[in-house]
Amino acid sequence: MDNSKIKRYTVTAALPYTNGPVHIGHLAGVYIPADIYARYLRSNKRDVKFICGSDENGVPITLKAKKEGITPQEVVDKYHKIIGNSFKEFGISFDIYHRTSSLTHHQTAADFFETLYEKGVFTEEITEQYYDATAKQFLADRYITGTCPKCGNENAYGDQCENCGSTLNATDLINPKSTLSGDKPILKETKNWFLPLDKYEDRLRTYIESHKEWRPNVYGQCQSWLNAGLQPRAMTRDLDWGVRVPLRDAEGKVLYVWFDAPIGYISATKELCNYAKLDVWNPKAEEYYINSNESDKCGWEEYWKSDETKLVHFIGKDNIVFHCIIFPAMLMAHGEYTLADNVPANEFLNLEGQKISTSKNWAVWLNEYLREFEGKQDVLRYVLTATAPETKDNDFTWKDFQARNNNELVAILGNFVNRVVVLTHKYFGGSVPTCMEITDVDQAVIDELAGYPAKISASIENYRFREALSEVMNVARLGNKYLAETEPWKLIKTDEDRVRTILHIALQVAANIQILIEPFLPFTAEKLMKMLQNGGHDWADAGTVSLLKRGHDIGEAVLLFDKIEDEEIDFQIGKLNQSKASNAANSAVAIPAKENIQFDD
Ligand code: MET
């Protein structure tokens, strides 16, 4: 998109299913990069709405309710709170964290469906689906087990066999059984409404091909879906949990969760703008949070229906087809909406060499991390950005987490800032010294510093957050090198004026880091702001050496980062080993074939 045309940004982060807490895979894949991007835009004074919320509909929720012996509503209430609170504590700066069980969402999604219905977009199809006569309910694929026709495993699910990995249709199963009643399900006719994706194929191709700049993994996946040929897809389901289909002959049917979930971005924006308009601060604190301010007084439609709005979806790679094919087709069918400018999907993060698994408890849960590593949000933010799976799957290990904290955050960034602040207090009573005569060494630092903001901006604007963060760390490296070369602690005995200049410049480098690191490590930026007493600056001020005026009093030195000891890491590794042991003991018990039911339920 032509940058000069952009008036505002709508940044969305995938709506997490409320069937469990958020883990590091979600953070690295979606929420941290999205937050970096949104914070960066705000620091550049761009008009941005950063949107997210809980995905509370669909079979994943009903399955969880069944497992926990509670109602779907109780499930979503419980996890919505856990997830929302941990995002907030982790510094994910959504303008709104909404939820798809809200009235606004139900109305918005139903209206959207109705518009498409009235335009004659859907086709009606009668198909045969498994039905549990005892439970009086149609069965989603996940609710059916049976013998796998390929390998003979007796505990295969209606969509996949976990033993041989085959993708199945429920009707492929030999001796199918309903997991609700244990009975053999019967085939019964049912009517559903289909979105004829095939009719949008040409327009989708044109859309995708106009975005050759997308990440190769995203572009490639879209191409292979298109090349395989798109099929009509049911947008309604026979289920009793979700957004009711707003038609007369649709009793007992709800919208397909992947129809309503992306509309959740729109309903959240609506809610944000409407409440901001009414001047109500955080009206539903218990239900969801809004970080509202003056600039949120807007019409939500500007954020969705204008070609001056840049829409960016942050998602994990398992969501690509929904955001790049199905949702755009829905928006095209509707006719009024703008399509996403980019969908920077990440690959997956593994944990200690193994795939993260909710059911095997092979994960680092955000809510537990926040409890066990109090005040260390930025350490996790740092490690997950520095190792983000941007172009290929990556591995998180606790040893690497410790090493990056101790050798990078403590030794490079923390050390530089600490030295500058401590020396300024020691030699000049905490007051920014005057810059005297500039030498070649100083000038080289000033010149190098000046180049960083544009470099970092380019990386962020091209969704290369790893690269951007490593450049910010290079600014701290530059500062350390400068101090090591000039050795102000030695010079102080012979040339105090020279030390004034060195510390003046070093303090400016620290003040630059404060601005440049804010999108990545907001808690650290906040600490730096207090330490340097340096408020009110944003991205446009970075790159200069005039951020702190001479004579300005800085605050006390505090440590930005603490060393992480072996015991803390051993404790975490111990926890994972326990999961391993209990999985081995339970290995006879069937576990879900897929962690997230993203496709047909
Ligand atoms: N809940 C989905 C997932 O976790 C994402 C929905 S984004 C509209 O995969």
Side-chain angles (χ1 to χ4, degrees):
M1 191 168 175
D2 174 4
N3 271 344
S4 63
K5 260 187 74 183
I6 304 171
K7 284 230 173 94
R8 62 192 82 78
Y9 292 75
T10 304
V11 177
T12 72
L15 312 182
Y17 282 127
T18 31
N19 61 346
V22 161
H23 57 59
I24 52 167
H26 301 124
L27 295 175
V30 179
Y31 303 102
I32 295 177
D35 190 53
I36 295 170
Y37 190 65
R39 284 177 180 274
Y40 163 80
L41 292 175
R42 289 192 198 107
S43 180
N44 278 278
K45 294 202 166 26
R46 313 258 181 92
D47 176 355
V48 54
K49 298 272 177 270
F50 183 21
I51 305 292
C52 193
S54 294
D55 186 353
E56 304 188 321
N57 297 319
V59 173
I61 310 300
T62 60
L63 277 174
K64 186 73 179 180
K66 195 165 164 267
K67 201 170 151 207
E68 294 199 359
I70 53 179
T71 65
Q73 189 62 51
E74 284 166 333
V75 169
V76 299
D77 286 348
K78 173 176 161 186
Y79 289 108
H80 173 71
K81 209 169 194 171
I82 295 177
I83 297 173
N85 287 343
S86 14
F87 276 147
K88 206 170 188 178
E89 205 183 318
F90 196 55
I92 303 292
S93 62
F94 300 131
D95 291 297
I96 180 167
Y97 187 74
H98 196 234
R99 56 191 311 193
T100 61
S101 62
S102 76
L103 187 61
T104 304
H105 177 70
H106 276 242
Q107 280 169 347
T108 309
D111 281 355
F112 198 106
F113 183 90
E114 230 172 339
T115 303
L116 266 51
Y117 179 82
E118 272 156 20
K119 288 180 101 173
V121 168
F122 296 121
T123 52
E124 290 180 9
E125 283 186 35
I126 300 201
T127 53
E128 286 198 317
Q129 298 262 320
Y130 273 132
Y131 181 81
D132 185 324
T134 312
K136 295 197 176 50
Q137 198 176 309
F138 278 98
L139 297 168
D141 291 347
R142 287 259 113 188
Y143 279 108
I144 308 161
T145 56
T147 304
C148 172
K150 307 234 164 90
C151 74
N153 164 31
E154 290 179 6
N155 289 317
Y157 285 87
D159 57 352
Q160 195 184 25
C161 171
E162 67 174 31
N163 190 46
C164 66
S166 314
T167 303
L168 302 172
N169 289 317
T171 45
D172 296 338
L173 292 174
I174 304 163
N175 295 327
K177 222 168 46 186
S178 160
T179 60
L180 293 180
S181 65
D183 292 353
K184 185 176 174 342
I186 53 169
L187 281 170
K188 197 173 157 175
E189 286 191 339
T190 177
K191 179 163 79 176
N192 277 297
W193 285 265
F194 283 64
L195 180 65
L197 289 171
D198 43 325
K199 288 202 185 139
Y200 295 89
E201 207 171 288
D202 289 345
R203 284 171 67 189
L204 285 166
R205 194 180 291 280
T206 309
Y207 166 55
I208 301 293
E209 287 181 355
S210 72
H211 285 296
K212 296 214 165 61
E213 76 283 7
W214 286 6
R215 286 189 180 162
N217 58 335
V218 179
Y219 190 81
Q221 245 197 61
C222 294
Q223 284 289 357
S224 53
W225 278 89
L226 290 169
N227 292 344
L230 300 177
Q231 304 297 324
R233 202 174 176 107
M235 292 293 131
T236 56
R237 289 288 187 276
D238 293 281
L239 199 71
D240 58 0
W241 178 250
V243 178
R244 302 229 161 282
V245 176
L247 300 176
R248 258 196 208 133
D249 52 344
E251 196 58 32
K253 294 180 202 291
V254 296
L255 301 183
Y256 171 39
V257 64
W258 270 110
F259 184 87
D260 89 77
I263 297 175
Y265 301 138
I266 301 171
S267 50
T269 315
K270 239 186 206 179
E271 191 77 16
L272 171 65
C273 293
N274 287 345
Y275 274 109
K277 235 185 213 151
L278 296 175
D279 265 336
V280 186
W281 174 257
N282 205 356
K284 296 188 175 176
E286 272 301 299
E287 286 184 38
Y288 47 84
Y289 69 84
I290 293 182
N291 290 321
S292 162
N293 59 44
E294 272 301 299
S295 71
D296 290 325
K297 292 186 181 179
C298 62
W300 70 269
E301 284 172 305
E302 287 169 21
Y303 290 86
W304 284 96
K305 298 183 177 178
S306 158
D307 58 8
E308 292 171 334
T309 298
K310 178 160 164 169
L311 172 64
V312 183
H313 296 308
F314 284 85
I315 57 167
K317 70 171 164 187
D318 51 343
N319 282 182
I320 291 174
V321 64
F322 302 107
H323 287 79
C324 300
I325 305 277
I326 300 178
F327 188 42
M330 287 164 56
L331 297 176
M332 284 172 183
H334 187 289
E336 292 175 8
Y337 286 84
T338 322
L339 304 179
D341 185 66
N342 211 317
V343 186
N346 269 347
E347 301 287 299
F348 285 152
L349 184 73
N350 295 321
L351 169 60
E352 302 283 353
Q354 285 179 40
K355 201 170 176 284
I356 293 179
S357 162
T358 306
S359 56
K360 293 184 188 160
N361 196 20
W362 192 258
V364 178
W365 303 103
L366 177 57
N367 53 331
E368 291 185 9
Y369 177 89
L370 290 167
R371 250 192 349 253
E372 290 161 2
F373 289 94
E374 228 188 297
K376 289 197 181 351
Q377 287 93 329
D378 278 354
V379 180
L380 190 58
R381 290 179 68 113
Y382 178 79
V383 175
L384 294 180
T385 306
T387 61
E390 287 176 1
T391 50
K392 58 176 172 47
D393 290 357
N394 219 339
D395 199 27
F396 174 93
T397 70
W398 279 112
K399 287 273 177 227
D400 180 61
F401 170 86
Q402 180 188 27
R404 285 183 190 272
N405 178 75
N406 296 354
N407 306 338
E408 297 173 22
L409 291 177
V410 175
I412 299 171
L413 180 53
N415 181 36
F416 168 64
V417 170
N418 192 257
R419 283 202 288 180
V420 182
V421 175
V422 167
L423 293 180
T424 304
H425 277 287
K426 194 165 162 195
Y427 304 149
F428 305 112
S431 161
V432 176
T434 308
C435 184
M436 311 299 280
E437 208 174 312
I438 303 263
T439 66
D440 287 352
V441 181
D442 306 330
Q443 194 57 50
V445 171
I446 295 170
D447 292 346
E448 194 178 333
L449 185 66
Y452 276 106
K455 226 191 287 183
I456 297 166
S457 288
S459 301
I460 296 181
E461 289 183 21
N462 288 303
Y463 312 102
R464 293 197 296 263
F465 304 107
R466 263 175 99 140
E467 181 182 276
L469 179 58
S470 90
E471 291 294 352
V472 181
M473 289 302 283
N474 283 342
V475 182
R477 287 191 178 92
L478 173 71
N480 275 326
K481 191 167 140 250
Y482 180 53
L483 292 183
E485 269 171 20
T486 53
E487 299 184 308
W489 46 87
K490 283 192 185 154
L491 281 177
I492 191 71
K493 292 177 205 125
T494 54
D495 191 350
E496 195 178 303
D497 275 356
R498 180 73 196 119
V499 175
R500 283 181 200 282
T501 304
I502 295 166
L503 285 185
H504 182 95
I505 293 173
L507 278 163
Q508 308 298 335
V509 174
N512 272 275
I513 293 175
Q514 179 196 319
I515 300 172
L516 299 173
I517 209 142
E518 193 276 339
F520 305 89
L521 311 183
F523 298 91
T524 304
E526 175 83 22
K527 278 192 200 164
L528 259 164
M529 187 184 80
K530 288 201 181 118
M531 235 192 290
L532 301 175
Q533 294 288 303
N534 177 37
H537 289 303
D538 52 37
W539 203 266
D541 303 316
T544 65
V545 285
S546 51
L547 295 174
L548 301 170
K549 305 280 173 254
R550 71 188 154 109
H552 167 83
D553 286 327
I554 62 169
E556 285 308 309
V558 290
L559 283 184
L560 287 179
F561 304 98
D562 302 314
K563 219 174 148 214
I564 292 178
E565 303 297 340
D566 288 347
E567 296 78 68
E568 295 174 77
I569 296 305
D570 293 344
F571 174 77
Q572 294 299 331
I573 294 174
K575 261 172 65 174
L576 288 173
N577 285 338
Q578 268 172 18
S579 295
K580 218 181 239 173
S582 76
N583 285 329
N586 294 335
S587 62
V589 180
I591 50 150
K594 261 199 294 181
E595 290 301 328
N596 274 323
I597 300 117
Q598 275 114 1
F599 285 83
D600 280 310
D601 298 299

